[in-house]
Amino acid sequence: MQTLKEAKITLYNIAKEYQNKNKEILPLLQAQNKILACDIYAAKSLPSFDNSAMDGYALNLKNAGKTLKIQTSIFAGDCQAITLEPHACAKIMTGARIPQGADCIVPFEEIEGGFNNTSQITAPQNLKLFANIRKEGEEIMQGSLLLEKGVQLTCDRLTLLATQGISNVSVFSPLEIAIFTSGNELKEPWEPANASEIYNSNATMVQSTLQSLHFKSKYCGILKDDFSAVELALQTPSDVIFTTGGASKGEADFIRQALVQSGATLLIERVDIKPGKPIMVAHFKGKFIVALPGNPLASSVMLRVLILPFLAQLSGANAHYPSPIILKASTPLKRKARAEVLLAKIQNDSISFTKGGKYGSGEVTPMAQSDALVILDSNFTEIKEGDLLKVLPFYAPFNTIEQECINRL
């Protein structure tokens, strides 16, 4: 049995070895939320020429306080190179190229007569060098690193690529993920179920949690407690296969039997934490098998704490470390000396523990009432009101830098 930290290290090392190498080229809009597969450098500076940041008058600092002739008007997109005459200025619009001889822009509203002047203006006395001028390359210099391999292509990063005239981009192909649940007692939500049967909620939990982080998956159905059915499921073409149930001692344990007999490498068999101890991760014929606990709450917790960061790294993303925040405990809590993940609800700068920390690993409602996790080391036996705790919000983005997530004394 491994500690949570040991399990994290195991998955980190194996993900480095088997990190996604499959790539595809997609149009920008189809690449949204995909992982960039190569470094991209700026093909042109941004701005690509000195331009005006405001509508106003382009003039030279040495002409402060003087009456200046309006030589011309310059609009965004004008290509003609213009040089200011002595004792002259130019009307200029936002984004237009700065004329030669101008070193500041005075907004219309700071000039008597403003935009309506047609022949001349009086320049203000207090002019500021390069005021309201966006200099060439002040945002991005040609040849500089624009986006690093491994970043997720958010809408803002796609916009940045578009400024460089990039219309197609190389991304890592998404992981192919198959999801099974196991148990003869399970019924699908659309099927009738009697009092002794259980609706299959784990498939929805796994698939929707993956979807919230932009992982696509395919639901492949319920595995009966039958060795041959499990063995057949392991042949499913995919990068990662999820199962829930069938991995703990006392259950039918067909998952473990099938993996062992097929020659799979067992990476994680159990993790010393509550809830979620009966989790298994294996590597088999180029794919990873993730056997989550059958209990819904335990399954959800281990998916978030251990597996999602693993999948992010495996997919090629640089950001795959959980991002804890520091919040105060709003209530005290005494607990047993064991490693544990507690469900919590964030309230401003503090957290409260869901149901006072008293719930079973088979319950579902505590997850729906929570929006964060608190991981506690075995020696952290008492939480006092006002204690500062590391907290993992359900939907916090991953980070590129590893941070300690476990609360220790």
Side-chain angles (χ1 to χ4, degrees):
M1 186 185 304
Q2 295 171 288
T3 64
L4 179 62
K5 185 174 182 178
E6 290 168 344
K8 281 176 171 287
I9 292 172
T10 296
L11 294 184
Y12 171 81
N13 289 333
I14 201 72
K16 274 205 307 185
E17 184 179 352
Y18 289 96
Q19 197 170 48
N20 193 4
K21 295 179 177 62
N22 298 321
K23 302 175 184 178
E24 56 189 355
I25 296 176
L26 295 176
L28 287 191
L29 290 180
Q30 292 182 30
Q32 187 166 4
N33 296 318
K34 299 291 195 299
I35 305 300
L36 185 63
C38 62
D39 290 341
I40 295 183
Y41 293 85
K44 60 185 294 188
S45 296
L46 189 65
S48 55
F49 53 86
D50 292 355
N51 68 81
S52 178
M54 300 196 69
D55 296 341
Y57 291 96
L59 46 87
N60 192 283
L61 206 66
K62 67 184 180 183
N63 289 325
K66 297 179 181 179
T67 298
L68 305 176
K69 179 183 79 171
I70 300 174
Q71 176 182 328
T72 188
S73 294
I74 310 172
F75 297 90
D78 288 352
C79 297
Q80 183 181 0
I82 295 172
T83 301
L84 286 184
E85 300 169 1
H87 306 295
C89 66
K91 277 186 180 179
I92 192 166
M93 306 304 154
T94 301
R97 185 187 293 271
I98 302 297
Q100 288 290 323
D103 55 16
C104 67
I105 306 296
V106 180
F108 286 135
E109 56 268 25
E110 295 180 15
I111 299 288
E112 185 176 350
F115 175 80
N116 295 322
N117 293 309
T118 57
S119 60
Q120 63 182 31
I121 66 165
T122 300
Q125 287 285 355
N126 299 318
L127 297 179
K128 192 174 180 180
L129 186 64
F130 303 133
N132 302 308
I133 292 177
R134 298 177 70 232
K135 301 291 287 182
E136 178 182 352
E138 71 173 29
E139 186 176 352
I140 298 168
M141 287 297 295
Q142 183 180 17
S144 63
L145 181 63
L146 195 67
L147 289 177
E148 187 179 5
K149 173 185 174 181
V151 301
Q152 188 175 49
L153 291 173
T154 61
C155 54
D156 300 307
R157 286 169 177 155
L158 292 176
T159 303
L160 183 59
L161 294 179
T163 68
Q164 297 292 307
I166 295 171
S167 58
N168 295 280
V169 64
S170 176
V171 297
F172 288 114
S173 301
L175 297 176
E176 293 185 10
I177 300 175
I179 298 172
F180 293 90
T181 53
S182 65
N184 291 335
E185 76 283 6
L186 293 181
K187 289 288 185 180
E188 299 290 14
W190 55 86
E191 297 177 323
N194 60 39
S196 63
E197 294 171 323
I198 300 171
Y199 281 119
N200 176 17
S201 62
N202 276 340
T204 299
M205 181 276 295
V206 174
Q207 199 160 21
S208 61
T209 303
L210 293 177
Q211 188 171 300
S212 71
L213 289 178
H214 310 295
F215 291 112
K216 292 185 177 180
S217 60
K218 180 182 179 181
Y219 177 54
C220 299
I222 298 171
L223 293 176
K224 296 301 180 184
D225 291 333
D226 174 85
F227 182 84
S228 60
V230 173
E231 200 171 36
L232 184 62
L234 296 180
Q235 307 302 321
T236 304
S238 56
D239 297 306
V240 182
I241 296 176
F242 276 90
T243 69
T244 60
S248 67
K249 294 179 180 179
E251 294 181 341
D253 203 15
F254 292 115
I255 304 293
R256 190 183 191 286
Q257 289 181 41
L259 288 170
V260 170
Q261 291 192 24
S262 63
T265 302
L266 298 181
L267 304 171
I268 296 171
E269 291 196 62
R270 289 163 69 81
V271 176
D272 186 17
I273 197 160
K274 182 186 186 312
K277 189 174 293 185
I279 183 173
M280 186 183 304
V281 180
H283 189 240
F284 172 66
K285 293 185 177 179
K287 68 188 74 170
F288 290 94
I289 316 299
V290 178
L292 293 170
N295 284 326
L297 190 147
S299 184
S300 180
V301 165
M302 294 310 289
L303 176 61
R304 293 178 185 277
V305 169
L306 190 60
I307 303 303
L308 291 182
F310 170 61
L311 293 182
Q313 185 184 0
L314 200 62
S315 70
N318 290 338
H320 52 79
Y321 296 108
S323 302
I325 58 177
I326 305 297
L327 297 173
K328 294 184 297 187
S330 62
T331 55
L333 183 68
K334 290 188 177 182
R335 44 183 300 277
K336 296 179 181 179
R338 63 190 178 195
E340 187 170 10
V341 182
L342 293 174
L343 298 175
K345 180 76 174 175
I346 298 174
Q347 300 168 321
N348 299 320
D349 64 346
S350 62
I351 56 161
S352 59
F353 297 105
T354 305
K355 299 182 71 172
K358 297 177 181 178
Y359 44 78
S361 60
E363 294 185 41
V364 178
T365 53
M367 289 299 298
Q369 296 167 355
S370 307
D371 58 13
L373 302 172
V374 179
I375 307 174
L376 300 171
D377 192 36
S378 58
N379 60 3
F380 209 123
T381 56
E382 183 178 3
I383 297 171
K384 298 174 183 176
E385 182 178 350
D387 278 354
L388 295 177
L389 299 171
K390 300 178 185 74
V391 178
L392 292 174
F394 281 177
Y395 302 107
F398 287 132
N399 204 313
T400 57
I401 300 172
E402 185 176 12
Q403 301 175 67
E404 177 62 86
C405 297
I406 302 174
N407 291 278
R408 308 176 191 275
L409 286 180

